[in-house]
């Protein structure tokens, strides 16, 4: 459910084990803190401003974006609570290209997580979609609760960083909810969708094209469901399904066997690494951390081919009685400096996901805390061993999403989107080695979109446009095709 390009987390966390140069080459790094969208000094959770937003959506405080020639940065002020019951406003940073009269109109690119800012990633997006940028005006936004106004929950931030699947303590989750107070109810996807339409009005555009990755793809599609007449075409990269969300991550766990075996075929390893993983977990444990690391590697090293990381070799050594190298890798990933909330907000991650997912084992976000633990235990007991293999079913109940939301106090659930079919042209992109948003999710969503084409990028992992030249080329052909026609498969 999280989005790349945020694989710099792995560079920080694995610094004690892995050469930084390798990781820098493997991913699209975020700009330095002094670059565009750099956070201002602040501590604690951001306070909602008391001033009322403009009567009509407007961008204010326009100035050249630092280190982004050709882009103007400004601010969009939106209500914290659009019902007006809870006062306050939020000031969201926006970056927009100067080509206001671009032939194909405006392209809004959405990052995700949830928890990731947008403005920090203007440069890599513009670089990967260079040809399309000549025809579109690129716009990116720090969604509510990210960037300069990131929700800051220190204990949760320290424990989870940018991870979906690393479990936090109950105390860290409860402390975060207490820190945010009543404001935690106003960071749902529906709230962000309303902000995006305010942005559209502030830009004075009747309709635009949306491109999103991971949670950004989820948000883009949710916007299209709410405002179908405002969307010309959709690019959904690393898809999170709108219906039947899977908070237990079973598809990803099961897909790990495919990823391991594909790596073995490429490396001619001569054994079954999926079976070895099952044996290693049975003997040494660490199932959740190994799963979390495999999800990270599906971003920075999806083919598991880096000799400096050496995941397959370390796993093989552990399977043959020497767990030391694998434990060194695990410790390296979890010993780096903390991730700052303005880079990725764990507080927003909790506030959004725990409100958004209606299909938790205990129901939606309004379910009382009492009974959640028992409901989760019952759900785990019903999982056939084959559904999560090579991970044991218990891993599904121990990973971060359900552990985080199990302790999140009852909250305002994200309102369901309109039940309608989307008629605009849509391109779905999926890496066949992605474990963050696995290929079955994209296939599930493609079946619901009558004018969509799913393109599977073989050998690619998560957030394909920013990590695969082939995927970026497919996206550009779709964005530039006459009439929004879909593109032939690569």
């Amino acid at each position: 459910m999280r989005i790349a390009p945020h694989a710099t987390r792995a560079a920080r966390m694995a610094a004690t084990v892995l050469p930084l140069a390798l990781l820098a080459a493997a991913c699209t790094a975020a700009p330095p803190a002094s670059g565009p969208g750099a956070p201002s000094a602040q501590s604690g959770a951001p306070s909602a401003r008391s001033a009322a937003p403009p009567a009509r959506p407007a961008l204010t405080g326009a100035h050249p974006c630092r280190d982004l020639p050709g882009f103007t940065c400004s601010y969009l002020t939106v209500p914290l609570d659009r019902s007006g019951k809870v006062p306050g406003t939020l000031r969201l940073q926006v970056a927009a290209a100067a080509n206001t009269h671009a032939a194909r109109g405006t392209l809004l690119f959405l990052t995700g997580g949830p928890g990731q800012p947008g403005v920090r990633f203007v440069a890599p997006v513009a670089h990967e979609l260079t040809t399309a940028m000549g025809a579109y005006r690129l716009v990116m936004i720090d969604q509510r609760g990210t960037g300069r106004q990131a929700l800051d929950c220190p204990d949760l931030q320290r424990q989870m960083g940018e991870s979906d699947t690393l479990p936090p303590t109950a105390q860290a989750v409860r402390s975060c909810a207490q820190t945010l107070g009543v404001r935690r109810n106003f960071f749902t996807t529906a709230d962000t969708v309303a902000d995006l339409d305010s942005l559209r009005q502030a830009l004075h555009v009747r309709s635009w094209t949306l491109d999103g990755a991971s949670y950004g793809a989820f948000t883009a599609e949710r916007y299209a469901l709410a405002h179908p007449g405002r969307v010309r075409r959709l690019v959904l990269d690393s898809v999170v399904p709108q219906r039947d969300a899977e908070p237990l991550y079973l598809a990803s766990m099961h897909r790990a066997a495919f990823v391991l075996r594909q790596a073995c075929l490429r490396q001619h390893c001569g054994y079954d690494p999926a079976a070895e993983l099952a044996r290693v977990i049975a003997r040494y444990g660490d199932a959740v951390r190994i799963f979390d690391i495999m999800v990270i590697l599906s971003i920075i090293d999806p083919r598991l081919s880096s000799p400096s990381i050496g995941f397959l070799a370390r796993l093989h050594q552990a399977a043959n009685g020497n767990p030391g190298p694998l434990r060194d890798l695990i410790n390296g990933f979890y010993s780096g400096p903390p991730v700052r909330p303005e880079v990725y907000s764990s507080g927003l991650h909790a506030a959004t996901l725990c409100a958004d997912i209606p299909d938790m084992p205990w129901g939606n976000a309004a379910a009382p805390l009492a009974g959640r633990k028992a409901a989760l235990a019952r759900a785990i007991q019903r999982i056939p061993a084959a559904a999560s293999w090579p991970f044991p079913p218990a891993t599904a109940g121990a990973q971060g999403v359900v552990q985080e939301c199990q302790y999140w106090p009852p909250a305002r659930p994200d309102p369901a989107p309109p039940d309608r079919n989307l008629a605009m042209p849509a391109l779905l992109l999926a890496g066949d080695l992605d474990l963050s948003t696995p290929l079955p999710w994209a296939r599930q969503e493609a079946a619901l979109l009558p004018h969509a084409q799913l393109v599977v990028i073989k050998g690619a992992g998560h957030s394909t446009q920013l990590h695969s030249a082939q995927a970026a080329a497919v996206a550009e052909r779709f964005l530039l095709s006459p009439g929004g026609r879909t593109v032939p498969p690569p």
Side-chain angles (χ1 to χ4, degrees), residues 88-100:
T89 59
L90 300 169
R91 193 169 181 243
L92 313 181
Q93 185 175 213
V94 176
N99 56 336
T100 55

Side-chain angles (χ1 to χ4, degrees), residues 338-389:
V339 178
R340 301 189 313 275
E342 57 268 21
V343 173
Y344 193 99
S345 170
S346 293
L348 179 67
H349 183 273
T352 301
L353 284 191
C354 296
D356 271 19
I357 300 175
D359 302 316
M360 288 292 186
W362 51 83
N364 68 16
L369 287 173
R372 290 188 187 183
K373 184 175 181 180
L376 177 58
R378 290 192 298 270
I380 300 307
Q381 289 174 353
R382 292 193 295 267
I383 298 174
S388 62
W389 191 90

